[in-house]
């Protein structure tokens, strides 16, 4: 295969006089290099190899939608007023004319109805935010199910996890800025949740809102978070995330010629940069297309925030849904007055469950590393079926999240499927526990089944559909054997086996040893090991 | 009816088609006489029509409503008393097809209207004649002329949106009941619903929301109905739930499709 | 836990010179199938046929022209579809046409660049060597050496009191910054504020949002009035803050349907009862009143309150019944409060019963 030692890009190939454009480029490159050593950077990065798989692009979707958010958001900051001073609306939307509302809401209405392209930019910004968080989620799932969080990428997993949380925070602070009825009730719920925190809740609520709810400070404070502090953190962490990815190099799926010691794919210049740049325009284009034709967050229909009215179907944006859903699933009466204080377990328990869930997600790489004791670097991405317990745990986690998320729309599920909201709630309460268990078992069995099928195909080839009648009268289906290249994918994975405990020098087995052995049994007892060369040789003699 | 071509053999009364002609003549004669005899009934004076209407209503009531509501409107096990519900209730319940109920229960669903406008009026007049109650609203409150959209909107959000949704898309109530969507409902029916508090909807009498304010609310709803959604397709006006579903299914679906195309090897 | 019970450390496949890393409980078969190496190349149509290559190039150029047209069209539409104040269709047209044109410009350029990369740029995969992430041994030794030198030259480990006082100073220095955050909220203690609302003896119940007082006779059977205290609309400051505690729902039921606990017999008037509208779960307005079932539903998390039993919780995550506002009728027939609520309204907080 060709190496990276190709002729330098851009150098004149012919002995003719270089054209004016070329001379300028040479002069400019020299000027910059003499002041910044950029040639070293070009040498380092210019022909770096990135492997090709569609699932490797999900992180890019997040990155590009973030750029779209920054661009559209900057436009909005030129017009938005993050103040809660009461004004009487005087713009072109007739049903709100003269109505008292905050300056934030009034400026949002002006952006929507009196500034050309304003509504478009608002919709681009909000749709991009939904795509941003969704693509981070999808990207995290890809990383999880292919085991790309293993050494040396554990730190990057943590960085990415922090980005996920920050993205949700950005979204929440953003949609609360217009101070409309929907987001205002969302803030009311947050205030209620904060107040339910023991000991310090009342004071945190008081400090957050600058006094009693709703106060006149919260929109301004969320604005600072939304356009300054959180984006700074996000941009900084994205930089760390990308630098780590370049240093570690990207993982790749098993393929003929791809090993732990190399990366096979396209160089940054020109192919990967071309695809990446093109993809940026495509993601941007899809977002603008959606924003041109599909309405999102019509704040004028909700009206300004007031503690008295509320809309049926009050939900947060989708990525906060799992929190709202968890609140809905708590049965009645979980609050007690004990030792002088009020313990609102109907709020404390959801908070604990959500935090625990996120903590398990954040620390999963370390849990798995402890179970396997595998301290080698891993650069070949797993096929999910080849890590059945991990995939099953992931399926259970996704189901748990999905049940909480579905619970947030329990009233809409009830009206659309002609059910009682009480029955929907009871069903989801049961599914919260049962769903992940069922998902775990189903996913694990499917993975093991697929591994068995892969092994069959590797050893005996795939069914070709041709039925042949033997001279003896027997009918057989001809199995088409795979060539070495097709087969490699099926046999190249690694399996683990449970830890064998042995007593130490004192003849004892430590608690943690035992515990680790049990967990490793749970993980790896049921396994299908890859076909070995010997088995292949035996198999081919049929 | 005459024969179109001269017959070579039979003519006049002996013609085979003569019997057909005779029957046709007879039918035309009796039908025409009937039509002539009944036409003048529509041209009578209003008072005569009203009392006719009440009588018609009574007959309709006895045939369609009394099984559940009692012949004297006193109510039975299956249906509440209609004493005092007024013409407005009848016009709303029957005019939207809710009544007669398909099944006794707390939720009266909108279904195809079973009576003509005149029959509904008849029923309404009859029920109002038995005992007075809220009346069918005057036209002036239904046209939207001179209405204040801002006040209408505020009142709608405070009194109605929590059940019917800010965009009138409907919402869930307890135990399987729901507040229906109210887009596309006639102004008269909206007024009557507010006034009479049908089924589990609270009563918004004229001391709670005055007739002028009811007109404002109706004008606001009609504005929402007739104004195009400025942002584009409204996805049912259900808010973040439908927006989230759209993002995951349509937007991300399209983008993932693009990534598959992008990373596939060129032909 | 010890390594000794695990499989023998296997040479890290990444780099033979680096120290071997334990493979833990991985199964390392002795006769694993070997990597067959790169498969034969499959050239693209554009590599083989120059006419096809030219045709694709023209297609891509056409796409770029479409993009230019799209961008220009967006500018034209911005002018041609202005917003006419009050005309909602003009807002829709502006948004849709400008947006669609921008989308076209972006998508066309995107498809063109991607197609160029896929079909025309060099089509074969290239290979790059990985290096182990850890630094080489000399580098690591030098790094450790640097820290040792710095430590010796500064005396960081040696001068213990110096080091410890420095660390303490560093830890303590952000504390004033945290204290500065106290004035995010006013000086006043929040707890008494949460325990009192605008309602007092004699405060009239008025309609939300107009503020007109309500007569008892106005509240007919099955009615639901949304109520604010008299004087709320005239407040200079704190209107929404007071409303967030004082909003009330007024309903009339048949007196025989109400189960009244001892002590509250005078809190209603002839079946007219008033309850706080602020949900005791997390504070949404609980306003979905069902006239026949007398259930009150909160739309946020579906807590349900039974008005016939003094708004006690019958479903959902709330715990406490909605506080009841004791009401009476004044000598002009208007409904008035007898006092403030007898317990804090709205969501629970730690000091609620203190």
């Amino acid at each position: 295969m060709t190496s990276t030692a190709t002729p330098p890009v851009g150098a004149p190939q012919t002995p003719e006089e270089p054209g004016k454009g070329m001379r300028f480029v040479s002069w400019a490159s020299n000027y910059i290099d003499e002041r910044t050593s950029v040639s070293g950077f070009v040498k380092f990065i210019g022909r770096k190899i990135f492997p090709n798989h569609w699932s490797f692009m999900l992180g890019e979707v997040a990155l590009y939608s973030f750029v779209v958010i920054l661009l559209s958001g900057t436009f909005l900051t030129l017009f938005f007023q993050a103040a809660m001073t009461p004004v009487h609306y005087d713009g072109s939307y007739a049903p709100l004319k003269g109505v008292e509302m905050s300056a934030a809401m009034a400026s949002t209405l002006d952006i929507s109805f009196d500034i050309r392209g304003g509504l478009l930019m608002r919709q681009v910004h909000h749709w991009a935010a939904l795509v941003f968080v969704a693509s981070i989620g999808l990207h995290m799932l890809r990383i999880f199910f292919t085991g790309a969080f293993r050494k040396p990428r554990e730190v990057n997993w943590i960085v990415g996890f922090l980005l996920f949380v920050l993205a949700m925070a950005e979204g929440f602070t953003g949609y609360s800025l217009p101070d409309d009825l929907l987001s205002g009730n969302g803030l009311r719920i947050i205030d209620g949740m904060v107040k339910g925190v023991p000991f310090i809740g009342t004071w945190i609520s008081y400090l957050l809102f600058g006094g009693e709810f709703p106060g006149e400070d919260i929109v301004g404070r969320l604005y600072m978070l939304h356009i300054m502090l959180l984006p700074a953190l996000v941009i900084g962490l994205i930089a760390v995330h990308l630098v780590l990815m370049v240093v570690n190099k990207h993982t790749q799926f098993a393929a003929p010629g791809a090993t732990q010691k190399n990366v096979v794919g396209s160089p940054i210049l020109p192919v990967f940069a071309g695809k990446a740049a093109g993809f940026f325009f495509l993601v941007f284009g899809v977002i603008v297309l959606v924003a041109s034709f599909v309405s999102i967050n019509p704040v004028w229909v909700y009206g300004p925030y007031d503690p008295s009215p509320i809309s049926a179907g009050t939900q947060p944006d989708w990525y906060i849904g799992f929190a709202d859903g968890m609140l809905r699933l708590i049965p009645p009466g979980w609050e007690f007055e004990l030792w002088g204080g009020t313990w609102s377990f109907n709020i404390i328990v959801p908070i604990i469950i959500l935090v625990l869930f996120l903590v398990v997600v954040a620390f999963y790489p370390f849990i798995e590393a402890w179970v396997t004791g595998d301290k080698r670097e891993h650069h070949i991405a797993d096929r999910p079926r080849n890590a059945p317990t991990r995939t099953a745990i992931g399926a259970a986690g996704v189901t748990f999240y999905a049940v909480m998320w579905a619970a947030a729309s329990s009233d809409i599920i009830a009206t659309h499927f002609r059910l009682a909201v009480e029955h929907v709630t009871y069903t989801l309460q049961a599914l919260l526990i049962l769903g992940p268990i069922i998902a775990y078992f189903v996913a694990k069995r499917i993975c093991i089944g697929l591994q068995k099928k892969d092994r069959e195909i590797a050893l005996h080839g795939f069914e070709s559909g041709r039925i042949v009648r033997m001279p003896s009268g027997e009918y057989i289906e001809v199995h088409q054997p795979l060539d070495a290249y097709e087969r490699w994918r099926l046999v190249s994975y690694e399996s683990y086996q449970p830890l064998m405990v042995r007593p130490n020098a004192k003849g004892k087995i430590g608690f943690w040893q035992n515990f680790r052995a049990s967990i490793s049994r749970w993980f790896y007892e049921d396994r299908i090991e890859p076909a070995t060369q010997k088995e292949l040789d035996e198999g081919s003699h049929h | 009816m005459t024969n179109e071509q001269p017959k070579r053999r039979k003519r006049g009364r002996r013609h085979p088609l003569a019997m057909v002609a005779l029957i046709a003549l007879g039918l035309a004669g009796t039908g025409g006489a009937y039509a002539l005899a009944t036409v003048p009934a529509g041209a009578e004076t209003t008072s005569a029509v009203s009392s006719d209407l009440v009588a018609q209503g009574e007959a309709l009531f006895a045939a369609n409503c009394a099984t559940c509501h009692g012949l004297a409107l006193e109510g039975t096990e299956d249906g509440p008393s209609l004493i005092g519900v007024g013409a407005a209730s009848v016009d709303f319940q029957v005019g939207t097809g809710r009544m007669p109920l398909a099944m006794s229960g707390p939720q009266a669903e909108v279904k195809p209207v079973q009576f003509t406008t005149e029959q509904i009026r008849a029923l309404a007049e009859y029920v109002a004649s038995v005992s007075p109650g809220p009346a069918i609203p005057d036209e002036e409150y239904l046209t939207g002329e001179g209405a204040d959209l801002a006040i209408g909107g505020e009142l709608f959000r405070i009194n109605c949106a929590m059940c019917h949704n800010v965009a009138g898309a409907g919402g869930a109530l307890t135990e399987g009941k729901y507040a229906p969507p109210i887009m596309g409902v006639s102004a008269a029916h909206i007024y009557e619903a507010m006034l009479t508090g049908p089924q589990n909807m609270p009563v918004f009498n004229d001391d709670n929301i005055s007739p002028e304010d009811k007109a404002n609310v109706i004008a606001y709803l009609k504005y929402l109905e007739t104004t195009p959604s400025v942002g584009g397709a409204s996805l049912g006006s259900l808010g973040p739930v439908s927006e989230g579903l759209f993002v995951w299914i349509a937007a991300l679906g399209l983008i993932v499709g693009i990534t598959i195309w992008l990373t596939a090897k060129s032909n | 836990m010890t390594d000794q019970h695990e499989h023998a450390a296997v040479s890290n496949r990444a780099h033979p010179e680096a120290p071997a890393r334990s493979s833990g409980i991985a199964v390392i078969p002795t006769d694993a199938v070997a990597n067959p190496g790169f498969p034969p190349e499959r050239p693209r149509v554009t590599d083989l046929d120059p006419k096809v290559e030219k045709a694709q190039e023209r297609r891509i150029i056409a796409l770029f022209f479409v993009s230019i047209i799209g961008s220009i069209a967006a500018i034209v539409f911005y002018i041609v579809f202005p917003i006419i104040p009050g005309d909602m269709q003009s807002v829709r047209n502006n948004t849709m046409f400008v947006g669609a044109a921008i989308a076209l410009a972006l998508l066309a350029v995107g498809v063109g660049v991607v197609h160029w990369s896929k079909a025309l740029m060099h089509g074969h995969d290239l290979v790059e060597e990985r290096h182990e992430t850890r630094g080489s041994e000399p580098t690591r030794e030098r790094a450790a050496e640097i820290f040792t030198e710095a430590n010796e030259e500064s005396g960081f480990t040696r001068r213990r009191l110096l080091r410890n006082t420095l660390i303490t100073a560093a830890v303590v220095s952000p504390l004033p910054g945290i204290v500065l955050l106290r004035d995010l909220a006013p000086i006043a203690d929040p707890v008494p504020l949460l325990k009192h609302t605008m309602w007092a003896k004699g405060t009239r119940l008025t309609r939300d949002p107009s503020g007109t007082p309500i007569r008892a006779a106005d509240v007919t059977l099955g009615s639901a009035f949304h109520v604010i205290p008299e004087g709320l609309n005239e407040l200079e400051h704190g209107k929404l803050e007071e409303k967030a505690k004082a909003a009330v729902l007024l309903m009339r039921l048949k007196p025989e349907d109400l189960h009244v606990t001892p002590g509250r017999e005078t809190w209603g008037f002839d079946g007219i009862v008033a309850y706080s509208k602020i949900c005791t779960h997390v504070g949404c307005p609980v306003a979905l009143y069902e006239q026949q079932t007398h259930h009150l539903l909160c739309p946020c998390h579906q807590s349900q309150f039974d008005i016939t039993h003094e708004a006690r919780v019958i479903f959902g995550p709330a715990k406490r019944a909605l506080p009841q506002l004791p009401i009476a009728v004044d000598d002009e027939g208007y409904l008035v409060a007898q006092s403030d609520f007898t317990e804090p309204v709205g969501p629970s907080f730690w000091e609620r019963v203190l």
Side-chain angles (χ1 to χ4, degrees), chain C residues 153-201:
Chain C
E153 287 175 24
S154 66
F156 194 74
T157 346
R158 198 172 16 103
R159 304 178 212 262
R160 253 177 297 176
L161 187 59
L162 183 146
R163 179 195 66 208
N164 292 343
T165 46
L166 171 65
I167 291 172
T168 312
V171 164
V172 168
S173 60
L175 293 180
I178 296 171
V179 171
L180 276 174
L181 295 175
R182 170 57 186 90
D183 273 5
L184 279 172
I187 297 291
D189 186 355
V191 177
L193 296 174
L194 289 172
K195 292 186 175 180
H196 297 104
T197 76
M198 252 183 94
W199 293 105
K201 187 176 161 81

Side-chain angles (χ1 to χ4, degrees), chain A residues 279-484:
Chain A
F279 191 49
F280 166 68
F281 287 109
L282 289 171
V283 170
F284 200 162
V286 168
I287 292 174
V288 175
L289 192 67
V290 171
S292 310
F293 289 99
V294 190
S295 177
I296 185 169
N297 195 222
V299 290
W300 49 92
V301 182
Y302 289 102
Y305 175 65
D306 184 288
S308 165
I310 190 164
S311 175
T314 285
Q315 272 90 11
D317 271 6
W318 79 260
Y319 43 84
I320 307 288
F322 74 125
D324 194 60
M326 197 60 232
L327 282 178
R328 295 184 188 212
L329 290 177
I330 302 294
W334 285 21
E335 187 181 281
F336 310 99
E337 272 121 36
L338 293 169
W339 314 308
T342 307
W343 298 83
S344 305
F345 287 107
N346 48 8
I347 292 167
I348 296 169
V349 167
I351 292 177
I352 290 178
I353 290 180
L354 295 173
V355 167
L356 269 180
F357 179 72
L358 291 174
V359 161
V360 168
V361 168
F363 285 99
Y364 185 81
F366 306 100
I367 298 171
E368 196 180 284
W370 173 73
V371 174
T372 63
D374 191 343
K375 300 205 189 328
R376 302 167 298 170
E377 290 188 0
H378 292 272
H379 299 291
I380 301 283
D382 280 334
R383 294 173 79 200
R385 66 185 63 184
N386 291 327
T389 306
R390 179 204 300 151
T391 302
I393 291 174
V398 166
T399 307
F400 189 69
Y401 181 89
V403 171
M404 289 193 286
W405 184 13
S409 55
S410 56
D411 53 331
I412 295 185
I413 294 175
T415 43
H416 276 72
F417 295 105
R418 300 301 183 97
L419 301 165
V421 74
E422 293 87 348
H423 297 157
V424 174
T425 306
Y426 295 141
T427 308
L428 289 171
Q429 284 168 334
L431 278 179
L432 190 70
I433 314 294
L434 294 178
I437 295 173
I438 296 172
Y440 174 88
F441 281 111
V442 170
K444 184 148 184 188
R445 290 297 125 194
I446 291 177
C447 285
I448 291 177
L450 287 170
Q451 282 186 303
K452 281 190 199 161
K453 190 189 90 171
D454 282 350
R455 207 182 139 82
E456 266 298 302
I457 293 176
L459 289 176
H460 305 296
F462 60 87
E463 294 161 351
S464 65
R466 277 174 40 219
I467 314 289
V468 167
R469 188 167 183 261
M470 309 287 284
S472 52
E474 185 192 346
Y475 283 98
I476 55 160
E477 184 177 7
V478 174
H479 280 207
Q480 178 82 19
L482 300 174
D483 64 31

Side-chain angles (χ1 to χ4, degrees), chain B residues 64-245:
Chain B
N64 296 285
C65 320
T67 7
C68 293
H69 288 295
L71 272 171
L73 280 65
E74 76 278 17
T76 66
E77 284 177 350
D78 297 316
S81 158
L82 297 183
I83 304 286
V85 297
S89 292
V90 179
D91 190 53
F92 173 78
Q93 299 281 5
V94 185
T96 58
R98 286 177 163 82
M99 290 291 158
L101 272 183
M103 190 178 79
S104 181
Q107 186 79 33
E109 298 195 349
V110 171
K111 39 191 198 1
V113 181
Q114 290 207 17
F115 300 98
T116 66
T117 326
E118 199 192 306
Q119 288 173 321
I120 295 172
R121 249 197 82 206
L123 278 167
E125 298 264 342
Y126 167 65
V127 169
S129 74
V130 170
S131 74
I136 291 174
D138 288 334
E139 246 335 274
E140 63 173 300
Y141 299 115
L142 307 179
T143 57
E145 250 181 72
D148 188 327
L149 287 178
I151 292 179
E154 267 196 286
L155 286 170
F156 180 76
R157 286 190 292 273
I158 291 174
N159 289 284
C160 326
M162 66 286 210
C163 292
H164 287 288
N165 171 282
V166 277
L173 296 174
T174 70
E175 293 170 310
K177 303 189 291 293
Y178 57 90
I182 49 183
M183 289 290 116
V185 178
S186 78
H189 290 152
I190 297 174
Y191 193 106
E192 288 154 359
M194 284 194 271
L195 187 60
T196 63
Q199 279 75 45
N200 270 293
M201 176 168 163
V203 174
F204 294 97
N205 57 43
D206 285 344
D207 293 313
N208 188 352
I209 300 181
S210 67
E212 290 75 26
D213 277 336
K214 287 194 172 71
N216 291 333
V217 170
I218 291 169
Y220 176 72
L221 284 171
K222 291 300 152 195
Y223 181 90
L224 283 184
E225 215 176 274
T226 53
T227 307
S229 164
V230 287
S234 59
L235 302 177
S237 296
L238 292 172
V241 172
S242 36
E243 291 157 10
L245 278 173

Side-chain angles (χ1 to χ4, degrees), chain C:
Chain C
M1 86 197 84
T2 54
D3 280 356
Q4 68 197 61
H5 300 302
E6 309 192 35
H7 287 272
V10 176
S11 168
N12 183 345
R13 292 193 225 167
H15 211 270
E17 285 86 358
R21 289 259 157 265
S22 164
S23 57
I25 52 178
V27 176
I28 313 287
T30 43
D31 61 341
V33 179
N35 194 321
F38 291 103
E41 273 172 35
R42 203 198 64 178
R44 301 168 297 185
V45 180
T46 45
D47 294 327
L48 297 173
D49 186 347
K51 269 206 303 219
V52 172
E53 192 190 347
K54 257 281 160 248
Q56 295 308 314
E57 191 182 335
R58 276 198 295 271
R59 201 177 282 184
I60 295 167
I61 293 170
L63 279 167
F64 291 157
F65 272 118
V66 167
S67 171
I68 295 170
I69 291 169
S71 295
I72 295 172
I75 298 172
V76 167
F77 289 150
Y78 184 88
I79 300 165
V80 159
F81 290 105
I83 291 180
I84 298 153
D87 179 358
M88 295 296 115
Q89 188 60 46
S90 72
V91 176
R92 176 83 204 101
N93 290 342
N94 179 272
T95 306
M96 184 169 61
F97 283 105
V98 173
I102 293 175
L104 179 68
L106 293 168
L107 290 172
V109 125
V111 172
V113 172
V114 169
H115 194 46
W116 177 14
S117 309
K118 281 179 63 174
L120 298 183
M121 291 189 191
H122 185 73
H124 307 140
D125 283 342
L126 301 181
V127 184
E128 188 184 357
E129 291 294 305
R130 286 187 195 270
H131 304 285
E132 203 188 1
T133 308
R134 66 186 285 145
S136 65
E137 286 309 307
T139 308
R140 289 159 65 96
E141 275 170 28
R142 178 72 192 118
E145 203 178 47
I146 289 173
F147 277 113
T148 317
E149 285 169 17
N151 190 20
E152 275 169 30
E153 287 175 24
S154 66
F156 194 74
T157 346
R158 198 172 16 103
R159 304 178 212 262
R160 253 177 297 176
L161 187 59
L162 183 146
R163 179 195 66 208
N164 292 343
T165 46
L166 171 65
I167 291 172
T168 312
V171 164
V172 168
S173 60
L175 293 180
I178 296 171
V179 171
L180 276 174
L181 295 175
R182 170 57 186 90
D183 273 5
L184 279 172
I187 297 291
D189 186 355
V191 177
L193 296 174
L194 289 172
K195 292 186 175 180
H196 297 104
T197 76
M198 252 183 94
W199 293 105
K201 187 176 161 81
T203 312
R204 277 187 178 168
L205 279 68
T206 64
R207 290 173 186 78
D208 180 14
S210 61
T212 54
I214 305 169
R215 288 199 145 88
D218 297 342
V219 187
T220 55
L221 192 63
S223 288
F225 279 65
H226 294 262
V227 170
I228 48 177
E230 189 170 37
L232 182 77
N233 285 343
E234 286 73 46
L235 286 179
E236 288 278 322
H237 318 281
K239 203 161 115 175
L240 290 186
E241 289 75 33
E242 293 298 340
K243 199 170 187 183
K245 292 185 295 185
V248 155
L249 195 64
L250 185 68
M251 296 148 283
R252 184 175 205 149
L253 291 71
K254 292 194 207 138
E256 58 267 27
D257 285 341
L258 287 168
H259 298 88
V260 182
T261 56
R264 293 201 190 186
E265 296 87 349
T266 56
W267 285 24
F269 180 79
D270 199 23
I272 302 178
V273 286
Y275 287 95
S276 167
K277 207 165 95 170
I278 311 300
C279 188
T280 54
H281 179 226
V282 280
C284 289
V286 46
L288 285 79
Y289 177 60
E290 293 176 6
Q291 194 214 125
Q292 304 287 341
T293 63
H294 311 301
H295 289 171
L296 192 56
L297 171 68
C298 183
C300 287
H301 308 104
Q302 284 74 52
S303 294
Q304 292 175 30
F305 304 87
D306 183 359
I307 300 299
T308 61
H309 286 84
E310 291 174 345
R312 72 173 180 206
V313 176
I314 53 173
F315 183 81
K319 161 73 188 278
R320 291 177 292 103
L322 296 172
Q324 186 173 4
L325 183 69
I327 53 173
V329 179
D330 71 8
D331 45 15
E332 291 178 44
Y334 289 106
L335 287 162
V336 295
Q338 293 182 36
S339 67
D340 196 354
F341 291 96
T342 56
E343 51 173 330
V345 301
S348 305
F349 52 98
W350 175 251
E351 301 90 338
R352 208 177 152 269
V353 292
L354 284 173

Side-chain angles (χ1 to χ4, degrees), chain A residues 19-64:
Chain A
K20 274 223 181 70
M22 208 70 242
R23 280 209 304 262
F24 173 76
V25 172
S26 305
W27 171 83
S29 313
N30 184 50
Y31 186 93
I32 296 174
D33 192 38
E34 285 189 349
R35 287 150 183 78
T36 63
S37 306
V38 76
S39 54
F41 180 67
V42 172
K43 180 177 166 210
F44 170 70
I45 205 113
R47 294 294 270 185
K48 235 181 210 319
I49 302 298
F50 277 85
N52 263 321
H53 192 268
W54 68 266
S55 66
F56 297 169
M57 308 211 66
L58 297 170
E60 279 179 63
V61 179
L63 179 64
Y64 300 148

